[in-house]
């Protein structure tokens, strides 16, 4: 796969320059770092910070805005930012109301973000975190759940972001996150593997007519390779597997996210969404909120993921529906 | 390239079902046709209709909304809609203020839309049109300009859409379009060719390390194949070629559109936008409006286009900046 870049070592710098130039009405970039913040951070609410490696655009910079994140800290491609940069972000955005870190469940991400939290707490700052682990793929050949943090993270950004704006405390936001996250489930499928410019070796190959269920967002292998199928058949696999993660009584109302992994045409996401709609009708699951687009991508991957969120509290739906000016969720 | 569809004959139907399900708060689909309209069409303004083949998503359905289009009429993949469907759209949305058709400059599109206009006029309806021909690619091996209608069409949707909402008459909108369109210039580059499922034969091949300048949005060949270069070198080629299309005095203030052709990561558009910014600074062209994303795509193409609009009248900038709820331009 060809890459439109300059040099791989300059990607983070040049990407953040390009993004914050384009959205200079709402975003401020702390030049030469991976720190991007909202232009004006409110003094009257808990600060929300997320982040991770580059290569998942528009995540997470695209979710900075009213009723979403205050700050995103981005590392090199598929590498989390250093704890020192996360600490810097916590300190620079600190407003006395406390700071919540929203972390995707990957070993390296946890190490960086939790170390930054520890250092900030040692300085007397009120910092807490939630860990998003929505991926319900299983290891191929085992029953080990992956529980990586993937596209469902964007629902967490929005719901906690809106709740923070409405005055929830740091403890309340953490509790809300812990109530919400187990009800978010995601499963992905790739039609071509991620190929991140020699930073991480390509982890699997697919033949011209093959696809891979259960892949991760950094090119991690999935649980089953199959011959390429129709959109409808793929939707059946994903909806069935996701549905099994819930008790029947939990999955009455759902929010649905059809997420492109970046190198997939919107035409195909549209066709797939139509298949998902029909399956949700058959399953008698009421879709009360839906989104379709490239929201949390995997650099140079042709594929998609489907996320369900079981809406257990109407307030969550209100939080989802409150408008935002975050560029990727307007 | 793998395709996530069901059957190629069902694409239009299933895509429009999926899109209008996702955006059912703002869009109405006239089931089984290619006609999608705004949920509520104002009685007090000229109606704006555009359209063309599917395979360019989010165009044109994504531009239906306040201050943009009232209606899009979509054909099969890479095929314009039949004149009978365009006529139906004109009649169903007619409000007595007149209807303006925004047509991309392709032979088949012109034939369908102008025949519909003729039929509507024969029924006594006030219908007019503008033809967008922003592509300044030249035929390989000749000096023949292509002048196809490509990504710059979205600027026309927005500027004429906002002007219509502010009460401009049908004649005034057509005159504004004719003043505007010659100042919109676009040039594209592909890293992989479009491959539209056996509807249109693939028109060129590229080796693993090749790219093609000046390609069209239906997989048409461009003007020069070169070895893949850096983002910066590609930006230099596109900016230089575009700049030459203007007289120096016209290109003082510009709107910039970095448009992905669909199968390209946002990461790469971000890196490219940073290169464009630096070139515009060097050229002393003031960028007063900018957009980056997948706005008018070419099914299954990895590539991008760059569009400039020379802002000759501050009013155009006001029109660009007025908010819209069109899902692809929010």
């Amino acid at each position: 796969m060809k890459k439109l870049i300059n040099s791989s070592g300059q990607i983070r710098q040049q990407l953040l320059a390009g993004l914050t130039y384009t959205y200079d009405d709402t975003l401020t970039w702390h030049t030469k770092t991976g720190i991007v913040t909202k232009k004006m951070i409110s003094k009257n609410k808990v600060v929300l910070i997320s982040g991770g490696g580059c290569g998942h655009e528009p995540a997470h910079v695209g979710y900075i805005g009213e009723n979403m994140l205050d700050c995103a800290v981005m590392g090199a491609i598929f590498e989390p930012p250093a704890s020192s940069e996360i600490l810097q972000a916590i300190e620079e955005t600190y407003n006395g109301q406390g700071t919540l870190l929203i972390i995707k469940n990957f070993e390296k991400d946890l190490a960086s973000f939790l170390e930054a939290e520890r250092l900030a707490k040692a300085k007397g700052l009120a910092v807490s975190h939630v860990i998003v682990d929505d991926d319900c793929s299983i290891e191929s050949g085992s029953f080990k759940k992956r529980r990586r943090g993937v596209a469902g993270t964007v629902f967490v950004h929005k719901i906690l972001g809106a709740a923070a704006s409405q005055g929830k405390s740091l403890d309340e936001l953490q509790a809300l996150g812990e109530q919400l996250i187990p009800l978010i489930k995601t499963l992905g499928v790739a039609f071509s593997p991620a190929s991140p410019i020699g930073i991480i070796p390509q982890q699997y190959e697919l033949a011209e007519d093959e696809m891979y269920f259960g892949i991760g967002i950094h090119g991690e292998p999935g649980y089953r390779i199959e011959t390429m199928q129709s959109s409808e058949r793929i939707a059946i696999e994903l909806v069935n597997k996701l549905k099994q993660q819930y008790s029947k009584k939990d999955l009455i109302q759902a929010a649905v996210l059809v997420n492109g992994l970046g190198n997939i045409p919107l035409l195909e996401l549209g066709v797939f969404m139509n298949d998902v709609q029909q399956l949700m009708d058959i399953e008698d699951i009421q879709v009360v909120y839906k989104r379709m687009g490239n929201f949390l991508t995997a650099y140079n991957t042709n594929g998609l993921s489907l996320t369900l969120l079981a809406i257990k509290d109407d307030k969550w739906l209100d939080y989802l529906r409150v408008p935002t000016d975050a560029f990727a969720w307007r």
Side-chain angles (χ1 to χ4, degrees), chain A:
Chain A
M1 177 70 84
K2 285 155 204 164
K3 278 114 183 167
L4 178 74
I5 56 166
N6 290 303
S7 84
S8 59
Q10 294 175 305
I11 286 179
R12 180 178 86 155
Q13 175 79 9
Q14 296 183 345
L15 165 65
L16 295 181
L19 284 176
T20 54
Y21 169 69
T22 307
Y23 301 104
D24 58 6
D25 51 335
T26 54
L27 299 178
T28 300
W29 177 37
H30 297 233
T31 320
K32 294 186 182 168
T33 72
I35 304 169
V36 180
T37 63
K38 232 170 106 178
K39 208 146 200 150
M40 297 287 287
I41 293 179
S42 165
K43 298 236 171 296
N44 308 313
K45 60 173 274 300
V46 172
V47 169
L48 261 60
I49 299 180
S50 192
C54 288
H56 306 299
E57 291 63 36
H60 296 271
V61 173
Y63 305 113
I64 298 170
E66 289 300 310
N67 294 307
M68 288 192 92
L69 301 178
D70 298 285
C71 173
V73 194
M74 306 311 299
I77 190 156
F78 288 179
E79 289 292 331
S83 52
S84 57
E85 276 202 359
I86 303 168
L87 177 64
Q88 185 188 340
I90 294 169
E91 291 187 290
E92 288 186 4
T93 59
Y94 203 73
N95 65 3
Q97 309 288 326
T99 299
L100 186 75
L101 307 178
I102 300 173
I103 314 171
K104 298 200 299 300
N105 191 30
F106 292 98
E107 206 174 319
K108 285 192 202 169
D109 288 61
L110 286 176
S112 269
F113 278 89
L114 296 182
E115 172 66 5
E117 178 178 330
R118 196 187 62 75
L119 294 169
K121 280 177 167 167
K123 294 190 174 199
L125 306 185
V127 181
S128 189
H129 69 268
V130 293
I131 299 169
V132 188
D133 59 355
D134 54 319
D135 186 357
C136 55
S137 175
I138 53 169
E139 292 272 9
S140 169
S142 82
F143 291 107
K144 193 186 152 203
K145 290 257 165 68
R146 307 295 184 98
R147 292 290 174 220
R148 299 170 288 216
V150 290
T153 307
V154 185
F155 278 154
V156 180
H157 292 344
K158 185 59 181 23
I159 291 175
L160 295 189
S165 296
Q166 291 181 21
K168 295 266 188 212
S169 70
L170 182 58
D171 286 349
E172 287 168 335
L173 290 172
Q174 193 194 13
L176 174 58
E178 284 173 3
Q179 194 190 358
L180 183 69
I181 291 167
L183 291 164
I184 305 176
K185 309 289 182 188
T186 298
L187 206 50
V189 56
F191 312 122
S192 77
S195 49
I197 324 173
I199 303 284
I200 294 176
Q202 191 173 311
Q203 295 180 62
Y204 59 89
E205 296 276 350
L206 289 178
E208 189 52 43
D209 64 343
E210 285 178 344
M211 57 178 213
Y212 210 165
F213 284 113
I215 47 72
I217 57 171
H218 307 98
E220 301 95 334
Y223 60 81
R224 194 170 77 242
I225 291 180
E226 284 198 14
T227 302
M228 186 71 191
Q229 297 169 8
S230 68
S231 171
E232 187 186 355
R233 294 296 297 262
I234 295 169
I236 289 171
E237 167 82 11
L238 298 187
V239 169
N240 279 347
K241 281 270 193 305
L242 289 173
K243 196 186 63 177
Q244 288 165 17
Q245 307 292 318
Y246 296 92
S247 68
K248 180 81 186 163
K249 69 168 180 28
D250 278 348
L251 202 58
I252 293 163
Q253 292 198 321
V256 167
L257 183 73
V258 168
N259 174 56
L261 294 179
N263 293 38
I264 187 166
L266 184 58
L267 180 150
E268 298 184 354
L269 297 182
V271 168
F272 181 79
M273 178 59 109
N274 179 51
D275 291 315
V276 170
Q277 171 192 10
Q278 292 181 39
L279 293 170
M280 300 300 273
D281 280 355
I282 290 167
E283 299 288 347
D284 209 19
I285 302 165
Q286 196 195 345
V287 178
V288 288
Y289 185 87
K290 59 237 173 191
R291 282 273 179 163
M292 176 178 72
N294 289 287
F295 296 114
L296 197 148
T297 64
Y299 185 55
N300 255 330
T301 306
N302 182 352
L304 61 80
S305 65
L306 178 63
T307 299
L308 300 186
L309 158 60
I311 303 282
K312 296 275 282 179
D313 182 338
D314 284 347
K315 197 75 193 141
W316 300 358
L317 198 51
D318 296 341
Y319 292 143
L320 281 172
R321 287 176 176 160
V322 172
T324 179
D325 59 356
F327 77 77
W329 204 251
R330 280 170 192 165

